[in-house]
Amino acid sequence: MNELNKLKSAEGDNSEAIRKQTIRVNETATKIAHATSEMKDLREQSDKRSGIAKLNDEIKQSESVTNSFVERLKAEGDTAGATKAKISGLTDQSGKLKDLYSKQVDELNELKSA
């Protein structure tokens, strides 16, 4: 009978240990899910910011290429061509600036609502 009581006691101890372990596993799973969600949000924010940075780089590069082309045309004496190239470059930059502005407004609105 003494052995039976020891086994029942051990079984109860094991059940309690299993219950506590299950609680810890569930808590850990919740923490992992929360951290995963936060990482996803941070990645999305980073992607948005990198999109803005990419547009800024494109604008700078476009301006540099346009200016080089305009200077070359001027050096060749083609002032009309240089003027057309400058207008074309400014039109392109204007479109990119509108895109940049739109992305920045979207990001600011998201930050405002958060």
Side-chain angles (χ1 to χ4, degrees), residues 19-33:
R19 187 185 69 76
K20 288 179 180 179
Q21 188 66 25
T22 301
I23 291 170
R24 278 189 238 124
V25 167
N26 287 338
E27 289 172 349
T28 303
T30 301
K31 288 177 184 177
I32 289 171

Side-chain angles (χ1 to χ4, degrees), residues 6-107:
K6 286 181 185 178
L7 289 173
K8 284 182 181 179
S9 177
E11 182 180 350
D13 291 344
N14 285 340
S15 294
E16 181 63 18
I18 290 170
R19 187 185 69 76
K20 288 179 180 179
Q21 188 66 25
T22 301
I23 291 170
R24 278 189 238 124
V25 167
N26 287 338
E27 289 172 349
T28 303
T30 301
K31 288 177 184 177
I32 289 171
H34 182 70
T36 301
S37 176
E38 285 183 14
M39 284 177 44
K40 179 183 173 197
D41 290 345
L42 289 172
R43 259 190 232 115
E44 288 173 357
Q45 289 175 5
S46 177
D47 290 346
K48 287 177 187 173
R49 288 194 181 104
S50 68
I52 290 172
K54 182 181 175 186
L55 273 173
N56 276 325
D57 290 344
E58 287 177 13
I59 291 168
K60 289 176 187 175
Q61 185 178 7
S62 175
E63 182 179 12
S64 177
V65 169
T66 299
N67 288 340
S68 295
F69 187 56
V70 167
E71 291 303 314
R72 192 191 94 209
L73 290 172
K74 283 182 183 178
E76 293 173 355
D78 187 1
T79 54
T83 302
K84 287 179 185 177
K86 185 70 172 177
I87 291 170
S88 175
L90 290 172
T91 302
D92 181 54
Q93 287 176 12
S94 173
K96 288 179 181 174
L97 286 170
K98 286 178 187 176
D99 291 344
L100 176 63
Y101 175 77
S102 176
K103 284 186 184 256
Q104 288 174 330
V105 166
D106 290 344
E107 184 172 346

